[in-house]
Amino acid sequence: MSNNVFVTGVGMIPFTKPGQHPPYYEMAASATRAALADAGIGYEQIQQAYVGYVYGDSTAGQRALYEVGMTGIPIVNVNNNCSTGSTALFLARQAVASGAADCVLALGFEHMTPGALGAVFKDRPSPFDHFDEATEQLVGHGEIPLALRYFGGAGLAHMEQYGTQMSTFAKIRAKASRHASNNPVALFRTVITEDEVMAAPVMWPGVMTRLMACPPTCGAAAAIICSEAFAQRHGLDRSVRIKAQAMTTDGAATFGAKDMREVVGFSMARAAAEKVYADAGVSPADIDVVELHDCFAHNELISYEALGLCPVGGAEKFVVDGDNTYGGKVVTNPSGGLLSKGHPLGATGLAQCTELVQQLRGTADRRQVEGARLALQHNLGLGGACVVTLYERV
């Protein structure tokens, strides 16, 4: 892979609760204009666009971008569940790295509805059939919504094997709130304590309270990816490049291991991370800042291990020792993550990208991780796909 692919512009809008936002095309157009302004180019210089969303009709990407311009470029609509935004980024990076294009837009947006995620097309088999069957066999508890059973079940498996305490998940959620308090585009900016997380309404006794789950969120984010030659020719910012990137889907372990951690993508994430580290010639110990997929506090905990940020089985100690925040080994989710910043599915991967680009530029204000040079992004979607991206300050 070429090391000369740069993120030259990023932009996002403040995330909101469902019903408190403009139409999806206005949100998407605003994020696109913000990324163009950040890059210092016009839309006419964009040669291709990859537009991600989960809940929306086909060609919503065109509807969104036609608000910005109608230039006849290829616009590809992307839907890969919660990894949609980073899948759009993956495709944009590939287009530039291959030489197919010099300047490409990756855009993600989501218009969500309140409540738990559910199927839209109920007249045909679900892509989650096998995941649901595995969850029923391993977890049961049909009275609990499936998304909670997926990730709560993964956390429970960790608790049962390593003695991890429910309070550790509360510590992760409290940390997210402290980080988000410094992020003006986060949905939830109020600092909450571990005790308040534990005292929230119980969703699964002994496993999860409501505050350990991310909220339905609406919003949009965008990134402009370009080649080194294009950046030089137009005098664009070349301070942040994509050093390595990998995308994986499920393997035999997902269902074969009979482990809820595998059902929610542990090995998928580990394989992507290991490929990125190998391609870049770095180790997890070299990473300064991480945005990872904390759709539930439980998934943040198991992702520490999948990404190699701590030993397998060592995640609770990693949290208790404060190694996941400022002053520790690696700052995780300085944005507040999905738990506090919000999780508009199609936009999440590009919001993570936006945060990490700002961190590496040194423009993250009160969230700034001092001296950040290498930043890791982990975005996961069940069904499944995982994208891991390593950014480097040049």
Side-chain angles (χ1 to χ4, degrees):
M1 184 192 121
S2 168
N3 279 330
N4 298 317
V5 177
F6 294 84
V7 185
T8 195
V10 290
M12 63 181 288
I13 63 170
F15 289 171
T16 64
K17 294 180 179 179
Q20 299 179 3
H21 58 88
Y24 73 87
Y25 54 84
E26 289 186 14
M27 294 191 293
S30 294
T32 300
R33 291 188 183 104
L36 290 167
D38 186 52
I41 62 173
Y43 183 66
E44 70 281 355
Q45 291 173 278
I46 300 295
Q47 298 165 1
Q48 294 183 10
Y50 296 88
V51 186
Y53 53 93
V54 176
Y55 295 108
D57 289 322
S58 187
T59 68
Q62 280 88 325
R63 178 67 178 88
L65 283 177
Y66 287 176
E67 295 289 306
V68 184
M70 298 176 70
T71 57
I73 60 168
I75 297 174
V76 179
N77 292 266
V78 179
N79 184 340
N80 231 4
N81 220 345
C82 301
S83 63
T84 290
S86 60
T87 302
L89 178 71
F90 180 84
L91 293 168
R93 193 272 309 161
Q94 272 197 335
V96 173
S98 70
D102 283 323
C103 186
V104 178
L105 172 70
L107 167 65
F109 59 83
E110 207 68 59
H111 173 161
M112 296 186 73
T113 55
L117 301 180
V120 175
F121 301 103
K122 299 181 181 179
D123 61 342
R124 66 205 71 184
S126 165
F128 293 105
D129 280 353
H130 295 313
F131 294 86
D132 296 350
E133 290 164 9
T135 302
E136 188 60 39
Q137 291 171 5
L138 293 168
V139 172
H141 287 290
E143 76 281 3
I144 299 174
L146 270 163
L148 277 66
R149 286 196 280 161
Y150 293 147
F151 291 99
L156 180 59
H158 201 279
M159 297 167 87
E160 290 175 344
Q161 182 170 359
Y162 299 113
T164 305
Q165 300 296 304
M166 185 177 170
S167 59
T168 304
F169 303 122
K171 286 181 172 69
I172 289 171
R173 178 63 179 85
K175 180 266 297 178
S177 76
R178 294 194 300 273
H179 290 186
S181 69
N182 293 319
N183 187 356
V185 295
L187 175 59
F188 295 140
R189 298 186 61 194
T190 301
V191 175
I192 56 176
T193 66
E194 176 187 334
D195 288 343
E196 288 172 320
V197 178
M198 292 294 285
V202 175
M203 308 299 285
W204 185 344
V207 178
M208 184 186 300
T209 69
R210 181 179 292 166
L211 286 174
M212 296 175 188
C214 73
T217 317
C218 301
I224 294 169
I225 313 302
C226 73
S227 66
E228 185 165 26
F230 185 91
Q232 285 181 322
R233 195 158 60 244
H234 296 278
L236 306 184
D237 186 290
R238 287 181 289 144
S239 60
V240 178
R241 70 180 174 190
I242 297 176
K243 188 172 179 66
Q245 188 178 50
M247 179 177 175
T248 52
T249 57
D250 290 289
T254 299
F255 305 123
K258 306 299 181 185
D259 185 329
M260 281 305 300
R261 288 164 291 189
E262 293 294 349
V263 174
V264 302
F266 182 91
S267 286
M268 190 164 63
R270 181 165 60 184
E274 287 176 349
K275 185 177 190 311
V276 162
Y277 296 141
D279 287 351
V282 304
S283 79
D286 297 318
I287 306 301
D288 301 302
V289 57
V290 178
E291 283 281 312
L292 59 77
H293 199 89
D294 60 325
C295 51
F296 292 80
H298 308 66
N299 200 52
E300 174 156 344
L301 182 132
I302 67 172
S303 295
Y304 296 151
E305 298 179 6
L307 299 175
L309 303 178
C310 68
V312 172
E316 182 168 61
K317 183 177 188 300
F318 187 72
V319 174
V320 172
D321 289 350
D323 284 334
N324 60 349
T325 188
Y326 298 87
K329 289 181 178 177
V330 57
V331 180
T332 59
N333 292 333
S335 68
L338 286 56
L339 287 166
S340 288
K341 182 178 80 268
H343 183 25
L345 310 189
T348 288
L350 288 155
Q352 291 177 320
C353 170
T354 297
E355 174 69 25
L356 293 178
V357 167
Q358 291 172 345
Q359 289 286 346
L360 294 182
R361 287 177 177 174
T363 59
D365 198 29
R366 292 169 61 197
R367 304 185 312 284
Q368 185 64 50
V369 177
E370 290 305 318
R373 188 183 68 84
L374 288 174
L376 190 75
Q377 177 190 353
H378 160 261
N379 189 202
L380 179 106
L382 289 189
C386 181
V387 182
V388 173
T389 308
L390 181 68
Y391 303 88
E392 179 182 41
R393 186 182 76 227
V394 179

